[in-house]
């Protein structure tokens, strides 16, 4: 019985270490994605475009960001419930919420520290 408890304790410690490493390694990517949502929906379009990969920024210049997010409610909370990191690529999925209580699903893929894809669905409109 003691041996079984020791094995469980070792497994629990390993799980805690792995989760801690994942949280530490992806903290910057989570901040980039969170700030993108907050900036894009509060009118800071240049800052939002600034964290995109250059090729994605060509598809979504500041003018396109204004068209896409100009009439949206600003989000106040962004949280990620699914985080995957592998080979320099991070995938994040979660929710964003406005002060009025409107919620959206958010999904991001980052390569290095740049956003290479994003999805906010449905976008909460004014």
């Amino acid at each position: 019985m003691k041996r079984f408890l020791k094995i469980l304790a070792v497994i629990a410690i390993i799980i805690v270490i792995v989760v801690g490493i994942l949280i530490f390694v992806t903290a910057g990517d989570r901040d980039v994605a969170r700030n993108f949502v907050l900036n894009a929906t509060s009118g800071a379009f240049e800052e939002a475009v600034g964290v995109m990969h250059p090729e994605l920024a060509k598809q979504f210049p500041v003018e396109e960001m204004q068209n896409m997010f100009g009439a949206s409610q600003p989000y106040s909370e962004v949280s990620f419930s699914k985080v995957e990191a592998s080979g320099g690529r991070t995938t994040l999925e979660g929710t964003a919420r406005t002060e009025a209580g409107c919620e959206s699903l958010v999904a991001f893929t980052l390569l290095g520290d740049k956003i290479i894809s994003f999805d906010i669905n449905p976008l909460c409109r004014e």
Side-chain angles (χ1 to χ4, degrees), residues 29-50:
D29 291 338
R30 285 183 281 122
D31 287 341
V32 168
R34 182 178 297 107
N35 290 333
F36 174 85
V37 172
L38 299 176
N39 288 333
T41 60
S42 66
F45 305 116
E46 290 182 18
E47 288 84 353
V49 172

Side-chain angles (χ1 to χ4, degrees), residues 14-72:
I14 291 171
I15 290 171
V16 167
I17 290 171
V18 169
V19 169
I21 289 171
L22 182 63
I23 289 171
F24 177 75
V25 169
T26 62
D29 291 338
R30 285 183 281 122
D31 287 341
V32 168
R34 182 178 297 107
N35 290 333
F36 174 85
V37 172
L38 299 176
N39 288 333
T41 60
S42 66
F45 305 116
E46 290 182 18
E47 288 84 353
V49 172
V51 296
M52 291 182 186
H53 186 279
E55 293 301 315
L56 186 62
K58 288 179 186 176
Q59 296 175 32
F60 297 100
V62 172
E63 299 78 24
E64 183 63 26
M65 296 292 285
Q66 289 172 330
N67 290 337
M68 190 182 314
F69 294 107
S72 67

